Amino acid sequence: MSDEAVNGGGVGRAGDAYLAQMRTKRRMNFIILVVFLALLVSGFYVADSRNAGGFWDGLGNIFDFPAAMFSEAIERAPLMPGYLVKYFPSLIETINIAAASTLIGALLGLVMSLLVTRGFAPVPWLVTPLRRLLDILRAVPEIVIALVLIFTLGGGPVPAMIAIALHSVGALGKLFSEVNENASLKPVEGLASVGATWSQRMWLGVIPQVAPNYLSYALLRFEINIRASAILGFVGAGGIGYDLRNTMSWGVGKYDEAAAIFILLFLTIVVVDQLSSLLRNRLTHGAANTQVTL
Amino acid sequence: MTTATLQAATLAQFSRKKRITIAVPLVVLAYLAYIFVSFDVAGLSERINLNNARTLVSDSYSYKTHVTQNNRDGTIAVSVEGERKGEYPDGSAPDWVSLGDTTIVDLGDGHVITLGDEVSYNIPGYGVVTARPDGTGVNAVLPAGDLPDYINASKNRVTIVTDAGRFTITRARAEVFKYSYGWELFFFTLDSPYYGMGPAQLVSRAFSGEAGAILHDFWTNKMWRHGDVLWALFETLLMAFLGTFGAAIVALPLAFLAARNFTPLGAFRFAARRVFDFLRGVDGLIWTIVLSRAFGPGPLTGALAILLTDTGSFGKMFSEALENVDEKQIEGITSTGAKPMQRYRFGVIPQVMPVLLSQVLYYFESNTRSATIIGAITGGGIGLLLTQAIATQKDWEEVTYYIVLIILLVMAMDTLSGWARRKLIKGDEGGH
């Protein structure tokens, strides 16, 4: 095509060819879009037919429950501060589950990431099996591990912490190893030339380079883990999710307490999200600055 | 800057770094110590239920076959896991059980149990234990000497647990458990004519016109319920699919409203952003609870919960992507006299589409996992089957089966979405 265009006389034909190409491409995209929408619509109908209550019936009732809850909450507004105080310890437990699992996940993820990054890995043949292990850790939903652990360890925060930490190892290990791949090898080589051991090379040569990015990913993980730890509480692993399930299942008369928990959870998630995005912004900009000054 | 000040600054920086290097591990350790105390990790050793752990592990790779004699009428029932749906038809039994007036159960390695009016268990290296259960007790006769610790005998009950199996006799019945490796009846239950056939035989049967019947027997396997399980898996995937792509479709127009360069009016922008914050902040858990009150349990509730949460996430991400678009392309389109809709279609969408789609695909993979959890809460998909199987506290082989399927599904979605994302970023320079 470009030959014709250069050799003159072909501009018109090249234009036609281009337009024809565009047309087929657009047609293909259009077909893909139609197929996709058809899938979406039929999927909706399948989901609707397999649901206990239909979509159109339920749509009218969607505000019934929030309305009932909030009217009850407003009715007993004077009790609200008491509820907020009552459930605050559970909230702390939920946050602690998230923080501890993020911390453990990040520490183990750090070690794993160094073991699976080519160039840093002390045992090269372990790279592939460990990567598969990380894939599996990432693929297992937290609830699977949590439910199995609740069966063996009993309820409480520890099963949730282990479950979320294992998932975090998988997720952070992969992200960290991607960061490692962009780290400069020069400090590592320099340290190797003065006879540093593997752990010294990693601790002094790699970690200072990658720490800001690591921290930023870990903070993002913390946001995700707060939600996860609230959800796991709902299936029996302690924290505020567990209280929420109890207030919900005791039925009428407890909705005001459920409302208090909703408020606590909502505020926590919003505050953590905002704080973490603020910190992450500072971290990435700070990292950019240090790079410039160096 | 003189060398002296530079040196001082460097030294100060170094000592600051040193302090941080020491302080950070100390803080981490202190926090972990606090967690250790506040989560009562030390008390875990008392709470841990090793028996549960043992059944869980052994059940996941082995199964047991029950041979039960009703001592009142002498009937014998043989079944897998003692379940009705795993029962051997009358008069048939696995080859280690020979039915007759006295039924002989050969557990292997010389462990032989005879069932009948008189029940006996020949334990190699120990002797023969006999029992003659009647209205007064089991009347067990044990070899002389001290009881070994694997035998637990009382007037009305004798339990013997050996490596070969487990034997219990009470006044009402005598029961033998034999443990074997594998997932029994995984393909066909005992009432299917295809039970016990090898793959070659099955293939030849399938070619002689029985493929439909074979598939039907597999699909409706009462023990493993493959049909239901695959439907549940599909429901989970459906939740993730509808939720993720539905959210993307809802979030796209809203994202234009929240992007600074497309909505000059601050009030709209503010409103759109607060809507996103609210949707994200309420979180999937609360949406699931609220929606399941309106729509009942099922995949639709889960899909809508994912849709609402992710509309918030996508709206935020999309509007950030939109704020970073290159104005030049839009100007170029405008200069040809394009109307606003055309400007968006040809000036903006092609620029942002690969980025947005790759974000959506990334979420699709992670939502497959969320859909499992949401299913466990609201009651739909594989999450529901998993919680039910765990609640029975005995179907651990089924739990293992579901976990394997979930992991395979998530990994497949991971691979698929990674492949699609690479293709999008590489192959779509034009972006149309």
Side-chain angles (χ1 to χ4, degrees), chain B residues 9 16 27 45 67 91 94 111 114 120 132 134 154 188 200-201 211 261 281 337 353 365 372 388 408:
Chain B
R16 199 175 69 92
V27 170
S45 55
V67 182
H111 291 261
T114 317
S120 70
R132 204 170 246 291
D134 57 27
S154 68
F188 302 104
Q201 210 177 350
N261 42 351
M353 218 31 156
E365 180 258 323
T372 314
Q388 282 175 344
L408 287 180

Side-chain angles (χ1 to χ4, degrees), chain A residues 22 25 29, chain B residues 345 349-354 424 427-432:
Chain A
M22 276 332 285
K25 204 170 177 190
N29 278 342
Chain B
R345 167 65 186 82
I349 297 288
Q351 281 192 56
V352 293
M353 218 31 156
L424 266 174
D428 215 331
E429 302 101 334
H432 289 281

Side-chain angles (χ1 to χ4, degrees), chain A residues 18 22 25-26 29 36-37 39-41 43-44 46-48 50-59 61-62 65-66 92-93 95-97 99-100 103-104 107 132 135-136 138-144 147-148 151-158 161-162 167 174 203 221 223 227 230-232 234-235 241 244 248-249 255 261-262 265-266 269-270 273-274 277 280, chain B residues 21 25 28 31-32 34-35 38-41 44 47-50 52-53 55-56 228 231-232 234-235 238 241-242 245-246 249 274 277-286 289-291 293-304 309 316 345-346 362 365 368-369 372-374 376-377 386-387 390 393 396 399 403 406-407 410-411 414 427-428 430-432:
Chain A
Y18 173 74
M22 276 332 285
K25 204 170 177 190
R26 289 237 177 91
N29 278 342
F36 172 75
L37 285 178
L39 271 177
L40 209 60
V41 171
F44 171 80
V46 172
D48 192 28
R50 293 182 73 82
N51 215 61
F55 177 69
W56 305 110
D57 301 330
L59 205 57
N61 310 332
I62 199 165
F65 175 63
I92 295 292
E93 186 168 71
I95 295 174
N96 270 335
I97 292 172
L103 194 60
I104 296 170
L107 290 176
R132 289 295 87 74
D135 286 347
I136 291 174
R138 250 177 329 120
V140 189
E142 290 110 338
I143 193 167
V144 172
L147 285 174
V148 170
F151 177 67
T152 49
L153 300 184
V158 179
M161 185 182 75
I162 298 174
H167 185 80
K174 182 178 184 236
W203 181 246
R221 199 71 228 169
E223 288 178 42
R227 294 160 189 260
I231 286 197
L232 288 187
F234 203 81
V235 296
L244 181 60
M248 301 285 301
S249 62
Y255 284 173
I261 293 175
F262 277 19
L265 205 52
F266 176 74
I269 289 172
V270 170
D273 275 18
Q274 295 294 338
S277 84
R280 277 185 290 130
Chain B
T21 341
V28 168
Y31 181 72
L32 287 179
Y34 157 68
I35 288 298
S38 99
F39 285 3
D40 191 19
V41 180
L44 208 61
R47 277 175 283 144
I48 190 167
N49 192 333
L50 283 174
N52 279 357
T55 29
L56 192 160
D228 295 342
W231 253 113
F234 171 73
E235 273 185 9
L238 188 65
F241 173 73
L242 289 179
F245 289 98
I249 289 172
R274 290 300 82 77
D277 284 347
F278 177 73
L279 289 173
R280 266 154 35 84
V282 169
D283 190 37
L285 171 65
I286 301 178
I289 294 168
V290 169
L291 291 172
R293 293 277 162 148
F295 298 108
L300 185 73
T301 311
L304 289 175
T309 321
K316 187 166 181 252
R345 167 65 186 82
F346 296 104
Y362 177 74
E365 180 258 323
T368 320
R369 247 178 293 114
T372 314
I373 302 182
I374 288 178
I377 297 171
L386 187 73
T387 42
I390 289 180
Q393 304 211 339
W396 293 107
V399 172
I403 292 176
I406 292 170
I407 294 177
V410 176
M411 287 180 106
D414 191 18
D428 215 331
H432 289 281

